[in-house]
């Protein structure tokens, strides 16, 4: 099995007003193609930060990071932007659609930052993914005219449009009611069945269970990594789990 | 109570961001001060009533001979005594109508003397100005009779400064133009009607009772009858005057033209009636600058209100009425504007006081007595109006816009609703307007700067340093024949030259005569070219017009001898390229008679620019002998050794030894005086224009930087999203530059369009003062300079936003 993503000894420290926050503390993860990961843990334990590092939205303080065997920890800003536009798909908790652009334009955005795509190819791809998330009928609307669930489906479409190597989702159901949340999760299930690699941050143990592999974090460390085993209901990790991570 | 809370809250916000407050305030104070100062200065100069009883109805009556240039008609704007008498006889539009003439008189003491601005007036003059003397009497009918005792009315200032405030000033005798003259009255302090007069002498009856061809020319004062409008009176009087003029065209060979009358208020007359145009134009420029300031302030406040959009929405959701919300958001703008207005009023007050002192000391005898600049009620009223407009534009609008946002959208979307899209559109429109205004100001500034610089640096080709100039008029009843007149001028020049500190002297007159050169074909067959022609008694070497070939005039070039001419080098080259022009003949039409002239000399070139807008004329000049073409009115120039003092006295001594009764048309003064005053004022204008241009450029820089920084800041989150989905730094910067570029092109395009229009008009008006390609050079320079600055103002804040990691940008609210 080929390792799609390999994090080795990744640490991230924030410096704000002389106070040092170690958001990520020497984390090692290997992600294989086609895996569906869930990442859970207390609020503030570093899940979003880890996702940012995975998505190259931020640079780690130390450690190495390989995507498809390429070391990306030492790339220039432009090279990282290129990888983001070609290999990463992001879904945020607060949707993060651009309010001045239509649904169609929002979804098209990642493709406009890739070079050498014809207009026809772009249009086809966008229509394709919009159909996949069942939002084709709203493509000329603006985000503010859509419900939260609809906006999140559009955000998923945007994350898919560039055929990413990995889809990163940061609490994608956090702002949604349960009905809409189910719809989005069902979408992820379907993507997983179609072979996509997904890493999803979630609070909700039920959602986490849908993944093929469950990671759990505490205070910047990875404390559990269980294939197909549901995580604990309580957010405070067991003592043995903490010890496991420390060892 | 709630208002107090709002004010307190606004103050806290202002103090919390001192840099923002200081920047907003300085932009505002700059804009307000420039527009207020311009308004106040022009209003005081042009529209203040004459500060005399009945001053509002006092009119200056002047004439215009349409179709003749200033140089052709030395009496342009004036009314002859004959014309005055004829009009006075028949007119029914005016209740008061009289004549006066302003020219300097010489006040002499034992061994020194000085020139005093004087007005020669008729007996109705003081009644017209509704002013009584504080002592003695004014000029009466009997003072004007031939042979009457010479009398003078003096100003309070003359009494105080020249006559040491002598208590027994009445009936005192003073020497005026070497004539013992009795002081009969003292006018009140500050009275210098019709402009700068320090003393008043009676006009002589004999000057007034003349035929048209021997008439002197005067300015007239007039007051309309109650039941007639200015237009109607102007029309009636012009009709009579033109009829008289047409007679003299026929009888006395006057140049053909239409002669009309202007009835203007004294302040308007002082600026030749161009007051309204100047007022509108300069105010338009000043208001553009204020508009720039307002846009900036408005934008800065808008940015603040957008920052607080969510807060506003929450307040609205909690039940605040939109009136409450507007009031709350407005206070910040209101406070800044009011503080700015107060600072501006203080600043403008000081600037006006400084202007008053500076102008009065700079041109003591050219500033008319009603010109006073300072903070006055008109300016204060304008300040209040401007402040209210500024509040409306820069505080109320952003507040209103912000308070009328869609609460739902804002609450759901955070700061990134459809509202920010509208705000973005508004901000882009503002950038476009700014670019337009600044480009326009810069274009106009560059144009006028170029014009004044080229005038300042104009090489005329002569040299009048250390040279004095005086104009005299021989009484033709005493010096009847040309020979007698020539004899007198020769003697006078000899006397002047005999003074040990005089280097040389000559007498000259200026004419503009048609020329024909029989040997040459003219491309322009319609009419013969006119050429600058000077008569010269003596030689021109000392005034910088130097001999290149042949000889200067001498005493033998007189009546009866062969008529000779000197021509300028450019003329010699034009007509006799590659050969000597000496001993050739040219024909000039001197006063209607063709004269064949023999070229005896070629002299260096010299320009004779008539006005800054007149075409810089060709350097073709001819000089004919003043002893052969004799004029009783001559301008005398004499150059003294560097550092000589009291050089005026040299002329007066020489003249009074010969004849005490010769009239000076203009007193002795440095020959370069007018040119220097002109250049000084040009220099000042050019500095003011430059300063204003620089300030508006700075405003634009601050404004566009602020607008872009604001729009970038608002879009930080969006930038984060775009970067998250793969945008590179270049993509982001390009996005902003492209957007700014669109506004730049629109604004520049509009400004260039307007500039092209103005240039076309100006080009026509200035008879090609500036070569056409220079308009393009100026325009390109402005386009390049402004584009660079706008791009920089856009690039800088964008660059700053781009260096942020996308993850931080996404957290940004
Ligand atoms: N840009 C940042 N600057 C400073 N501190 C940060 C930044 N991003 C995250 N942190 C800190 O890092 C820790 C982890 O945050 P985050 O990854 O957002 O947690 P989670 O997503 O698990 O709730 C928190 O203590 C947070 O305050
Ligand atoms: Mg998080």
């Amino acid at each position: 099995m080929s390792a799609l993503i390999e994090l080795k000894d990744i640490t991230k420290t924030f410096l704000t007003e002389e106070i040092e926050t170690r958001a990520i503390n020497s984390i090692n993860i290997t992600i294989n193609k086609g895996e569906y990961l869930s990442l859970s843990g207390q609020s503030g334990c570093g899940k979003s930060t880890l996702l940012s590092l995975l998505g190259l939205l931020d640079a780690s303080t130390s450690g190495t990071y390989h995507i498809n065997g390429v070391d990306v920890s030492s790339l220039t800003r432009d090279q990282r932007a290129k990888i983001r536009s070609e290999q990463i798909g992001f879904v945020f908790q607060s949707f993060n659609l651009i309010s001045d652009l239509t649904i169609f334009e929002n979804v098209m955005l990642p493709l406009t930052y890739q070079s050498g795509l014809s207009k026809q190819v772009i249009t086809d791809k966008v229509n394709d993914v919009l159909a996949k998330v069942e939002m084709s009928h709203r493509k000329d609307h603006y985000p503010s005219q859509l419900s939260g669930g609809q906006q999140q489906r559009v955000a998923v479409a945007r994350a898919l449009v560039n055929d990413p190597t990995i889809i990163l989702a940061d609490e994608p159901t956090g702002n949604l009611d349960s009905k809409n949340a189910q719809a989005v999760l069902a979408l992820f299930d379907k993507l997983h069945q179609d072979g996509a690699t997904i890493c999803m941050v979630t609070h909700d143990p039920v959602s986490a269970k849908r993944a093929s592999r469950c990671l759990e974090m505490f205070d910047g460390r990875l404390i559990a990594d269980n294939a197909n085993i549901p995580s604990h209901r309580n957010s405070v990790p067991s003592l043995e789990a903490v010890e496991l991570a420390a060892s | 109570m709630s208002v107090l809370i709002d004010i307190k809250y606004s103050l806290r916000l202002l103090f919390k961001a001192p840099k923002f407050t200081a920047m907003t305030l300085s932009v505002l104070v700059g804009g307000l001060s420039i527009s207020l100062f311009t308004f106040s200065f022009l209003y005081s100069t042009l529209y203040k009533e004459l500060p005399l009883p009945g001053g509002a109805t006092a009119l200056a009556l002047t004439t215009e001979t349409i179709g003749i240039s200033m140089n052709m008609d030395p009496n342009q704007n004036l009314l002859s005594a004959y014309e005055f008498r004829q009009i006075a006889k028949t007119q029914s539009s005016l209740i008061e109508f009289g004549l006066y003439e302003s020219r300097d008189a010489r006040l002499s003491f034992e061994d020194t003397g000085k020139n005093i601005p004087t007005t020669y007036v008729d007996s109705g003059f003081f009644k017209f100005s509704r002013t009584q003397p504080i002592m003695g009497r004014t000029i009466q009918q009997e003072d004007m009779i031939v042979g009457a005792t010479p009398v003078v009315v003096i100003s309070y200032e003359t009494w105080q400064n020249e006559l040491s405030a002598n208590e027994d000033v009445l009936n005192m005798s003073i020497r005026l133009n070497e004539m013992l003259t009795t002081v009969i009255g003292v006018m009140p302090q500050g009275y210098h009607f019709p402009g700068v007069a320090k003393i008043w002498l009676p006009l002589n009856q004999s000057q007034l009772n003349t035929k048209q061809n021997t008439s002197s020319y005067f300015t007239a004062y007039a007051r309309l009858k109650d039941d007639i409008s200015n237009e109607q009176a102007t029309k009636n009087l012009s009709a009579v005057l033109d009829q008289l003029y047409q007679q003299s065209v026929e009888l006395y060979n006057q140049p053909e033209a239409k002669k009309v009358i202007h009835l203007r208020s004294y302040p308007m007359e002082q600026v030749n009636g161009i007051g309204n145009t100047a007022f509108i134009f300069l105010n338009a420029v000043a208001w553009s600058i204020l508009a720039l300031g307002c846009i900036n302030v408005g934008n800065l406040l808008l940015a603040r209100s957008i920052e607080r959009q969510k807060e506003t929405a929450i307040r609205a959701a909690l039940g605040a009425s939109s009136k409450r919300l507007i009031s709350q958001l407005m206070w910040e703008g209101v406070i800044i504007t009011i503080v700015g207005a107060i600072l501006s009023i203080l600043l403008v007050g000081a600037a006006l006081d400084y202007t008053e002192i500076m102008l009065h000391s700079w041109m003591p005898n050219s500033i008319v007595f009603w010109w006073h600049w300072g903070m006055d009620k008109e300016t204060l009223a304008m300040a209040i109006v401007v402040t209210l407009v500024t509040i409306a534009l820069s505080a109320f609008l952003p507040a209103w816009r912000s308070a009328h946002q869609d609460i739902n959208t804002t609450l759901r979307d955070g700061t990134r609703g459809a509202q920010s899209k509208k705000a973005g559109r508004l901000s882009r429109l503002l950038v476009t307007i700014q670019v337009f205004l600044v480009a326009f100001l810069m274009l106009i500034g560059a144009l006028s700067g170029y014009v004044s610089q080229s005038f300042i640096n104009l090489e005329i080709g002569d040299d009048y340093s250390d040279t004095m100039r005086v104009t005299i008029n021989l009484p033709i009843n005493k010096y009847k024949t040309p020979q007698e007149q020539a004899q007198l001028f020769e003697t006078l020049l000899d006397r002047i030259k005999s003074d040990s500190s005089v280097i040389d002297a000559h007498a000259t007159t200026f004419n503009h005569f048609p020329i024909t050169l029989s040997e040459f074909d003219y491309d322009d067959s319609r009419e013969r070219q006119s050429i600058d022609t000077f008569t010269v008694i003596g030689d021109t070497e000392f005034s910088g017009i130097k001999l290149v070939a042949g000889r200067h005039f001498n005493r033998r070039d007189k009546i009866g001898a062969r008529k000779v001419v000197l021509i300028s080098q450019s003329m010699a080259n034009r007509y006799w390229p590659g050969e000597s022009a000496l001993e050739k003949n040219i024909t000039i039409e001197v006063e209607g008679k063709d004269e064949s002239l023999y070229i005896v000399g070629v002299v260096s070139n010299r320009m004779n620019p008539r006005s800054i807008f007149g075409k810089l004329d060709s350097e073709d000049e001819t000089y004919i002998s003043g002893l052969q073409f004799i004029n009783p009115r001559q301008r005398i120039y004499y150059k003294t050794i560097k550092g000589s003092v009291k050089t005026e006295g040299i002329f007066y001594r020489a003249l009074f030894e010969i004849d005490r009764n010769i009239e000076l048309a203009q007193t002795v003064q440095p020959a370069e005086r007018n040119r220097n005053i002109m250049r000084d004022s040009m220099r000042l204008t050019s500095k003011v224009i430059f300063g204003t241009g620089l300030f508006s450029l700075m405003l634009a820089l601050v404004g566009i930087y602020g607008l872009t920084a604001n729009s970038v800041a608002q879009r930080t989150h969006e930038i984060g999203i775009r970067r998250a989905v793969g945008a590179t730094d270049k993509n982001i910067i390009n996005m902003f530059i492209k957007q700014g570029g669109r506004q730049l092109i629109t604004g520049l395009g509009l400004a260039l369009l307007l500039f092209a229009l103005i240039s076309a008009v100006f080009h026509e008006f200035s008879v090609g003062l500036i070569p056409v390609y220079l308009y393009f050079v100026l325009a390109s320079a402005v386009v390049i300079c402004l584009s660079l600055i706008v791009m920089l103002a856009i690039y800088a804040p964008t660059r700053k936003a781009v260096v942020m990691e996308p993850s931080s940008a996404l957290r940004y609210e």
Side-chain angles (χ1 to χ4, degrees):
Chain A
M1 206 153 47
S2 61
L4 190 66
I5 281 176
E6 224 177 341
L7 293 185
K8 263 199 199 128
D9 239 358
I10 290 286
T11 300
K12 176 71 186 178
T13 318
F14 290 109
L15 242 181
T16 35
E17 287 150 16
E18 310 293 312
I19 301 166
E20 230 186 55
T21 316
R22 180 158 289 201
I24 301 288
N25 200 346
S26 63
I27 278 185
N28 293 290
I29 306 176
T30 307
I31 301 173
N32 293 314
K33 193 166 161 45
E35 278 189 309
Y36 182 3
L37 279 74
S38 74
L39 181 60
S40 46
Q42 273 180 324
S43 176
C45 69
K47 306 181 296 289
S48 295
T49 309
L50 182 60
L51 220 58
S52 292
L53 293 177
L54 281 172
L56 293 176
L57 294 183
D58 212 342
S60 62
T61 314
S62 66
T64 57
Y65 177 12
H66 288 83
I67 300 182
N68 275 333
V70 181
D71 183 2
V72 296
S73 28
S74 57
L75 294 182
T76 64
R77 296 162 60 83
D78 281 357
Q79 286 167 329
R80 293 200 290 147
K82 188 168 152 58
I83 290 177
R84 282 200 299 271
S85 79
E86 288 171 358
Q87 308 207 30
I88 313 258
F90 247 112
V91 181
F92 303 94
Q93 177 176 0
S94 55
F95 326 139
N96 278 347
L97 299 177
I98 294 175
S99 54
D100 292 349
L101 302 180
T102 61
I103 298 310
F104 187 90
E105 289 164 340
N106 263 292
V107 174
M108 186 176 75
L109 208 56
L111 301 182
T112 60
Y113 295 124
Q114 293 182 9
S115 48
L117 294 179
S118 76
K119 213 166 180 169
Q120 192 53 50
V121 170
I122 291 178
T123 314
D124 289 349
K125 281 191 172 196
V126 174
N127 284 330
D128 235 33
V129 289
L130 277 175
K132 225 181 232 175
V133 301
E134 293 165 27
M135 287 301 296
S136 301
H137 59 301
R138 306 299 290 269
K139 66 179 177 189
D140 292 326
H141 287 84
Y142 284 93
S144 57
Q145 295 165 316
L146 266 56
S147 77
Q150 290 172 320
Q151 289 194 42
Q152 195 62 302
R153 268 150 61 200
V154 172
V156 172
R158 183 177 65 187
L160 291 176
V161 77
N162 55 348
D163 296 320
T165 310
I166 184 166
I167 297 167
L168 303 169
D170 193 349
E171 304 192 37
T173 57
N175 278 8
L176 301 178
D177 58 45
S178 60
K179 191 166 152 263
N180 276 311
Q182 287 310 312
V184 170
L185 288 173
L187 207 53
F188 279 133
D189 288 345
K190 193 160 152 271
L191 292 173
H192 176 53
Q193 279 158 27
D194 293 350
T197 313
I198 302 170
C199 180
M200 176 177 74
V201 170
T202 180
H203 271 326
D204 176 26
V206 183
S207 317
K209 249 185 263 174
R210 301 171 86 124
S212 62
R213 178 177 165 196
C214 299
L215 305 177
E216 198 169 337
M217 284 181 72
F218 179 75
D219 199 10
R221 289 165 190 276
L222 202 61
I223 53 164
D225 184 350
N226 310 313
N228 256 335
I229 297 169
S231 62
H232 304 286
R233 177 81 185 86
N234 57 333
S235 41
V236 181
S238 62
L239 203 69
E240 64 179 351
V242 176
E243 275 164 6
L244 184 82
S247 63
Chain B
M1 191 54 215
S2 58
V3 169
L4 267 181
I5 294 173
D6 289 349
I7 293 178
K8 232 166 89 182
Y9 181 61
S10 301
L11 281 173
R12 196 190 320 148
L13 285 173
L14 286 174
F15 280 113
K16 236 170 80 182
K19 253 199 272 171
F20 164 86
T21 309
M23 185 165 99
T24 315
L25 207 55
S26 56
V27 164
L28 191 62
V29 170
L32 275 176
S33 301
I34 288 182
S35 58
L36 264 188
F37 180 87
T38 310
F39 168 81
S40 177
F41 181 85
L42 293 176
Y43 187 86
S44 298
T45 310
L46 301 173
Y47 295 116
K48 280 249 171 97
E49 259 179 32
L50 204 55
L52 294 175
T57 53
L59 298 176
L61 186 152
T62 54
T63 70
E64 186 184 352
T65 21
I66 299 166
I68 309 182
S69 83
M70 198 72 150
N71 294 294
M72 294 284 282
D73 182 3
N75 301 317
Q76 176 76 283
N77 299 340
L78 302 178
L79 193 64
S80 80
Y82 173 79
E83 288 164 340
F84 168 75
R85 278 203 325 278
Q86 297 306 314
I87 293 171
K89 244 189 268 173
T90 54
Q91 67 86 17
S92 57
S93 315
L94 310 170
I95 35 167
E96 283 177 81
F97 187 26
L99 294 179
Y100 60 87
E101 183 186 13
S102 292
R103 82 178 118 90
D104 288 3
R106 184 154 184 94
L107 173 63
S108 322
F109 304 103
E110 308 264 292
D111 55 343
T112 63
K114 73 197 294 182
N115 302 330
I116 300 234
T118 304
T119 300
Y120 293 77
V121 303
D122 66 10
S123 55
F125 182 84
F126 290 99
K127 187 170 153 268
F128 175 75
S129 71
R130 308 272 190 273
T131 311
Q132 297 291 326
I134 53 170
M135 248 192 272
R137 63 176 180 90
T138 55
I139 285 161
Q140 306 299 321
Q141 201 82 47
E142 59 266 26
D143 301 320
M144 297 168 66
I145 296 167
V146 183
T149 324
V151 294
V152 62
V153 174
I154 63 172
S155 70
Y156 180 85
E157 287 74 13
T158 307
W159 176 40
Q160 296 291 311
N161 303 333
E162 311 301 342
L163 307 178
S164 7
N166 192 329
E167 296 275 333
D168 305 319
V169 67
L170 286 186
N171 299 322
M172 192 172 146
S173 285
I174 57 176
R175 268 191 116 64
L176 277 173
N177 293 341
E178 293 308 310
M179 196 111 65
L180 273 180
T181 311
T182 310
V183 176
I184 54 166
V186 179
M187 295 307 289
Q189 190 169 5
Y191 178 94
H192 299 286
F193 191 64
V196 296
K198 297 239 167 73
I199 59 176
W200 296 265
L201 292 169
L203 279 172
N204 197 299
Q205 207 62 260
S206 66
Q207 273 177 288
L208 302 180
N209 294 323
T210 48
K211 286 206 274 284
Q212 173 71 327
N213 58 334
T214 54
S215 217
S216 301
Y217 282 80
F218 301 91
T219 314
Y221 60 82
R223 196 171 254 124
L224 295 177
K225 283 194 174 147
D226 282 342
D227 54 355
I228 190 160
S229 70
N230 193 317
E231 291 71 32
Q232 192 57 49
T234 305
K235 212 174 126 207
N236 294 350
L237 296 167
S238 295
V240 180
L241 178 66
D242 191 48
Q243 208 180 346
L244 291 169
Y245 186 77
Q246 297 316 326
Q247 285 171 13
S248 64
V249 169
E250 232 160 77
L251 287 174
Y252 308 113
N253 212 7
Q254 295 260 42
E256 273 179 46
K258 184 176 160 62
K259 196 165 182 179
V260 296
I261 272 176
H262 293 294
L263 284 164
R264 298 183 183 123
S265 77
Y266 272 83
M268 223 17 119
E269 178 55 37
Q270 194 63 30
V271 290
N272 277 326
I274 61 155
N276 288 326
T277 324
F279 188 74
I280 291 166
F281 177 75
L282 291 174
N283 268 321
V285 170
W287 290 96
S288 309
I289 290 175
L290 180 64
L292 274 180
C294 275
I295 288 173
N296 284 346
V297 174
N299 169 60
L300 290 167
L301 292 172
L302 186 65
R304 300 266 281 197
S305 73
I306 286 168
E307 267 169 37
R308 279 153 53 198
Q309 209 160 12
K310 189 137 192 179
E311 178 202 313
T312 316
I314 293 168
R315 283 175 197 267
L318 293 177
S321 69
S322 62
K323 219 169 89 193
R324 261 304 262 132
L325 286 174
I326 291 176
S327 135
Q328 192 156 57
L329 290 166
M330 247 184 92
W331 276 113
E332 216 174 313
V334 172
I335 292 169
I336 285 197
T337 311
I338 289 176
V339 172
I342 292 170
L343 287 177
S344 305
I345 288 172
L346 294 175
L347 196 67
V348 168
L352 287 169
D353 288 346
Y354 178 72
T355 309
E356 165 89 7
I357 294 168
M358 203 188 63
L359 285 183
H360 279 271
S361 69
W362 188 31
M363 301 189 283
N365 289 339
S366 330
I367 301 290
V368 291
F369 71 104
W370 61 84
W371 276 351
H372 288 291
W373 299 278
M375 189 47 68
D376 48 27
K377 58 180 190 299
E378 286 86 358
T379 310
L380 275 178
M382 190 40 94
I384 290 169
V385 171
V386 171
T387 307
L388 290 178
V389 171
T390 307
I391 286 176
L393 284 181
S394 61
F396 181 73
L397 284 185
W400 183 84
R401 208 203 57 73
S402 188
H404 280 81
Q405 60 186 320
D406 182 350
I407 306 167
N408 249 330
T409 318
T410 308
L411 284 179
R412 210 164 72 189
D413 251 29
T415 56
R416 305 174 298 279
Q419 295 300 317
S420 77
K421 189 176 171 187
K422 262 190 225 158
R425 216 179 294 144
L426 184 62
S427 134
R428 285 195 289 278
L429 182 69
L430 291 181
V431 170
T432 310
I433 295 174
Q434 285 216 327
V435 169
F436 168 75
L437 285 174
V438 175
F440 181 64
L441 287 175
M442 281 176 72
L443 286 167
I444 294 296
L447 185 62
S448 43
Y450 178 83
V451 169
S452 45
Q453 273 307 317
S454 63
F455 193 76
I456 290 168
N457 298 327
L458 195 62
E459 274 300 331
I460 308 270
D462 56 19
D463 170 20
Y464 283 110
S465 56
D466 305 311
T467 303
M468 301 300 281
R469 171 188 97 184
V470 57
T471 310
I472 61 175
N473 235 340
L474 294 188
I476 18 184
N477 43 9
K478 189 164 173 197
Y479 299 92
K480 290 197 181 71
T481 67
Q483 280 86 351
E484 282 173 301
Q485 294 169 8
Q487 173 66 41
L488 181 112
F489 284 120
E490 276 200 295
T491 319
L492 182 59
L493 288 173
D494 284 341
R495 280 279 158 84
I496 293 170
K497 282 191 269 193
S498 70
D499 190 289
S500 59
S501 53
V502 172
I503 297 170
D504 201 1
H506 66 228
T508 178
T509 63
F510 170 70
N511 305 281
H512 203 62
F513 290 138
I515 180 174
T516 28
L517 289 95
S518 37
E519 322 164 28
F520 297 95
D521 288 336
Y522 289 94
D523 349 340
D524 188 354
S525 54
R526 276 173 292 126
E527 62 183 283
R528 290 197 287 174
Q529 213 180 337
S530 277
I531 194 160
D532 293 343
T533 309
F534 296 85
T535 69
V536 179
I537 306 173
D539 83 50
T540 56
E541 199 73 18
F542 76 87
S543 59
I545 301 154
K546 305 216 151 126
L547 201 62
V548 177
R551 63 169 178 89
H552 276 298
F553 297 133
N554 59 39
R555 283 168 201 277
R556 288 185 300 281
D557 298 320
K558 59 183 180 191
I559 294 177
R562 178 159 62 170
K563 287 175 180 162
V564 291
V565 64
L566 307 178
I567 64 173
S568 67
Q569 200 165 13
S570 84
M571 209 172 145
N573 291 342
R574 183 187 321 274
Y575 295 116
W576 292 279
E579 58 173 320
S580 168
L582 294 178
E583 298 175 22
K584 304 276 200 257
N585 274 299
I586 59 172
T587 305
I588 299 181
E589 186 188 315
V590 179
E591 277 157 6
K593 204 175 141 222
D594 275 349
E595 300 277 2
S596 178
L597 301 164
Y598 182 68
I599 300 175
V600 295
V602 177
V603 293
S604 58
N605 292 333
R606 168 182 193 276
M607 268 194 281
N608 187 35
R610 311 224 160 83
S611 80
I612 64 162
F613 291 132
K615 192 183 201 145
L616 299 181
D617 71 352
S618 87
E619 293 166 316
D620 289 3
E621 312 261 350
T622 59
Y623 302 85
I624 53 181
S625 172
L627 299 175
Q628 291 173 334
F629 299 94
I630 297 163
N631 193 323
R633 184 187 170 100
Q634 294 274 345
R635 180 164 282 186
I636 292 168
Y637 289 91
Y638 58 99
K639 191 183 181 85
T640 56
I641 294 164
K642 224 177 191 50
S644 310
V645 289
K646 292 195 184 155
T647 46
E648 294 103 324
I650 298 169
F651 172 79
Y652 289 112
R653 280 195 297 277
L655 183 65
F656 295 150
E657 278 171 31
I658 300 169
D659 185 341
R660 287 185 170 260
N661 292 320
I662 290 176
E663 191 187 359
L664 298 194
Q666 264 175 14
T667 49
V668 186
Q669 51 183 282
E672 284 188 311
R673 209 190 94 170
N674 285 353
R675 220 182 262 173
N676 287 342
I677 288 182
M678 189 81 149
R679 283 194 173 154
D680 281 352
S681 66
M682 281 293 203
R683 245 180 226 125
L684 184 75
T685 318
S686 142
K687 268 185 206 151
V688 168
I689 289 168
F690 187 74
T692 313
L694 214 61
F695 181 75
S696 64
L697 193 60
M698 191 206 81
L699 271 185
L701 191 65
V702 168
I704 293 169
Y705 179 91
L707 283 164
T708 313
N710 171 20
S711 126
V712 169
Q714 271 178 57
R715 294 172 67 176
T716 304
H717 191 91
E718 182 196 322
I719 294 171
I721 299 173
R722 285 179 184 269
R723 305 260 325 265
V725 302
T728 58
D729 296 2
K730 228 171 88 194
N731 290 141
I732 302 290
I733 292 176
N734 277 350
M735 180 176 81
F736 280 98
I737 297 266
K738 223 191 234 161
Q739 191 177 75
R742 222 171 293 142
Q743 290 134 36
L744 180 72
I745 288 168
T746 317
L748 270 179
L750 288 176
L752 285 174
L753 216 65
L754 190 58
F755 178 68
L757 229 101
I758 289 177
S759 301
V761 173
F762 179 79
H763 193 71
E764 194 62 37
F765 177 58
S766 67
V767 221
L769 174 64
I770 299 182
V772 174
Y773 79 90
L774 255 167
Y775 291 101
F776 288 97
V777 172
L778 286 180
S780 319
V782 168
V783 167
I784 291 169
C785 172
L786 196 61
S787 303
L788 283 177
I789 278 175
V790 169
M791 285 303 159
L792 193 76
I794 291 172
Y795 179 77
T798 313
R799 177 78 230 159
K800 230 161 80 185
V802 152
V803 296
M804 199 187 262
E805 284 291 346
S807 64
S808 321
L810 283 168
R811 294 168 66 96
Y812 186 91
E813 286 288 332

